[in-house]
Amino acid sequence: MKKLLQLLFGTLLFVLASCKTDVPAPYPLPQAHADKTLFVYMPWSAARNSNFGSLYQAFQRNISDMKTAIEADGGLYRNRLIIFISTSSSSAVMMEITYKNGVCHEDTLERYAAANLPELTTAGGIANVLGTMKSKAPANQYAMIIGCHGTGWLFSNGGRRVSTRYFGGSEPYTQTNIPTLAEAISRAGMHMQFIMFDDCYMSNIEVAYELRNVTSHLIGCASEVMAYGMPYHKMWRYLAQLSPDYQRIVNEFHNFYSTYSTPCGNIGITDCAVADEMAGVMKQINAAYTFNLADTLQVQKLDGYRNTIFYDMGDYVDKLCGGTALYTAFQSTLSRLVPYKSTTPSIYTNLGETPSRYISVTRFSGITISDPTVSSYESAFLNKTHTQWWQVTH
């Protein structure tokens, strides 16, 4: 009888212990492998010797919003949060956000100065930062959030922005090309659950195709996003889940920007596993149909450039081959490529190149394409042919 009671008591303790591991909050910081490490990467967003165009204060607000969400949720669960933020073009800090007794704390892991700061516009430099992050916070899976300015797939050439967000700063010295990012993640031996660009113009097929082998999902805005960036205090819990709730992420973004002081914003989430299939469909379409450049004005514009660079992909292909069997195949593939998306009725541009800062959106597929552009800005009409996307679809 005594042995039976001991057995029952031991079994009860086992069950209670087993149940406890399934309780969602709170948990002490994982000492070995976390379930997921979220890595927030915020490189310098201005020029080498200038603060002009810097988003540093906006980044600080983003971090504050993340902390607010973590505290509201009662902790990080079995996740870890590492942030790399540049404080100038030659200095940065890597820190971990931890949670204890209802409050978030910033624990410095690494300080960088000119002598030890990796070159963040090179694959080796970014891979170095990613490797440090992995060693500090090993996990079963990783996700990456990139905060900066952004100009989609365009190659670094010194474009400037002030109150909207490109991938880097306001001169080539602080700008990173997308193929460089892809190579860096590959060199670090990583595959991201998602890469979220908190930057302008990053939800485009050229970027998604370039990153298809290093991330499962791409989250980004097809147009400009306000300097405020992503509403992390609303979205965080859905990003941090082991399996992110992509629909809720889109919903929270839409709800926030629908009532923002400038009620403009769009977002798309791309399943990069479908990128190769889409490339195959577009290769067939491009072999069978030629776009009439006179029709470019009829395609939904999703940027603020005088000569459009970023067109809505769905609307472009509709104008190219709508009503055909290939278009039906394209629509089917597109629905799986970008299953989550949202836009406000208008988008905002701060470029000052269009008659109005507001552009009406009547067609939105969540992702852009630059195939029909004839823009000379940063030689887009020529450089588009140097992207992986162009080369496999033409």
Side-chain angles (χ1 to χ4, degrees), residues 227-295:
Y228 188 98
M230 298 291 180
Y232 293 101
H233 59 303
K234 302 290 187 181
M235 296 167 57
W236 181 259
R237 66 177 56 182
Y238 307 113
L239 291 166
Q241 292 175 358
L242 289 184
S243 296
D245 190 333
Y246 292 115
Q247 186 60 65
R248 292 297 296 269
I249 291 167
V250 166
N251 293 348
E252 294 295 348
F253 178 94
H254 183 82
N255 293 340
F256 179 82
Y257 274 107
S258 292
T259 57
Y260 192 65
S261 55
T262 302
C264 298
N266 61 42
I267 187 172
I269 299 182
T270 302
D271 183 347
C272 293
V274 186
D276 279 315
E277 181 182 348
M278 177 58 84
V281 173
M282 285 304 302
K283 185 174 181 64
Q284 294 181 63
I285 291 174
N286 289 329
Y289 300 94
T290 300
F291 186 75
N292 183 352
L293 292 180
D295 292 337

Side-chain angles (χ1 to χ4, degrees), residues 281 285 289 321-332:
V281 173
I285 291 174
Y289 300 94
C321 64
T324 67
L326 278 176
Y327 180 65
T328 299
F330 165 81
Q331 283 184 306
S332 174

Side-chain angles (χ1 to χ4, degrees), residues 27-350:
Y27 278 95
L29 188 67
Q31 296 304 305
H33 274 67
D35 282 348
K36 178 162 72 175
T37 292
L38 293 105
F39 179 53
V40 179
Y41 179 65
M42 296 171 162
W44 186 238
S45 53
R48 187 184 324 197
N49 300 310
S50 169
N51 290 333
F52 179 80
S54 172
L55 292 168
Y56 183 76
Q57 294 304 317
F59 294 163
Q60 291 295 323
R61 185 172 56 235
N62 293 155
I63 295 170
S64 177
D65 282 352
M66 292 175 195
K67 292 178 182 177
T68 296
I70 292 165
E71 290 170 357
D73 285 347
L76 283 155
Y77 310 124
R78 297 184 184 88
N79 295 336
R80 297 181 76 167
L81 171 57
I82 307 295
I83 297 175
F84 175 97
I85 181 169
S86 294
T87 51
S88 73
S89 63
S90 59
S91 61
V93 62
M94 183 179 290
M95 61 187 176
E96 178 164 15
I97 303 299
T98 59
Y99 175 85
K100 185 177 181 180
N101 298 328
V103 179
C104 284
H105 304 272
E106 295 180 2
D107 298 336
T108 300
L109 303 177
E110 195 88 23
R111 291 191 181 277
Y112 298 90
N116 68 333
L117 181 67
E119 292 185 51
L120 300 180
T121 57
T122 68
I126 299 174
N128 180 296
V129 171
L130 289 170
T132 300
M133 179 273 293
K134 282 178 65 178
S135 69
K136 301 289 186 180
N140 296 328
Q141 59 182 342
Y142 298 89
M144 188 172 186
I145 296 171
I146 300 175
C148 220
H149 295 290
T151 50
W153 61 269
L154 293 178
F155 300 106
S156 62
N157 198 30
R160 308 180 98 188
R161 303 290 178 274
V162 181
S163 64
T164 53
R165 292 190 179 205
Y166 44 105
F167 186 27
S170 53
E171 63 176 37
Y173 180 81
T174 53
Q175 295 172 352
T176 303
N177 291 322
I178 297 302
T180 301
L181 174 64
E183 182 182 348
I185 297 172
S186 180
R187 279 197 198 183
M190 303 180 74
H191 185 91
M192 301 297 175
Q193 182 186 58
F194 64 79
I195 296 175
M196 183 168 81
F197 283 101
D198 197 353
D199 317 49
C200 301
Y201 297 125
M202 300 307 290
S203 183
N204 55 79
I205 188 60
E206 292 86 356
V207 168
Y209 192 78
E210 195 75 46
L211 296 176
R212 71 195 187 285
N213 293 323
V214 295
T215 187
S216 295
H217 286 82
L218 174 70
I219 307 173
C221 299
S223 306
E224 289 168 54
V225 60
M226 300 299 159
Y228 188 98
M230 298 291 180
Y232 293 101
H233 59 303
K234 302 290 187 181
M235 296 167 57
W236 181 259
R237 66 177 56 182
Y238 307 113
L239 291 166
Q241 292 175 358
L242 289 184
S243 296
D245 190 333
Y246 292 115
Q247 186 60 65
R248 292 297 296 269
I249 291 167
V250 166
N251 293 348
E252 294 295 348
F253 178 94
H254 183 82
N255 293 340
F256 179 82
Y257 274 107
S258 292
T259 57
Y260 192 65
S261 55
T262 302
C264 298
N266 61 42
I267 187 172
I269 299 182
T270 302
D271 183 347
C272 293
V274 186
D276 279 315
E277 181 182 348
M278 177 58 84
V281 173
M282 285 304 302
K283 185 174 181 64
Q284 294 181 63
I285 291 174
N286 289 329
Y289 300 94
T290 300
F291 186 75
N292 183 352
L293 292 180
D295 292 337
T296 52
L297 294 178
Q298 308 305 315
V299 180
Q300 176 68 61
K301 174 185 181 71
L302 288 176
D303 67 28
Y305 294 101
R306 181 176 293 106
N307 294 315
T308 304
I309 298 174
F310 301 104
Y311 294 89
D312 182 81
M313 186 175 184
D315 197 36
Y316 163 68
V317 179
D318 185 16
K319 300 296 191 300
L320 177 61
C321 64
T324 67
L326 278 176
Y327 180 65
T328 299
F330 165 81
Q331 283 184 306
S332 174
T333 307
L334 180 64
S335 68
R336 289 179 287 108
L337 179 72
V338 192
Y340 311 99
K341 57 188 178 293
S342 179
T343 186
T344 52
S346 297
I347 55 174
Y348 177 85
T349 176
N350 192 55

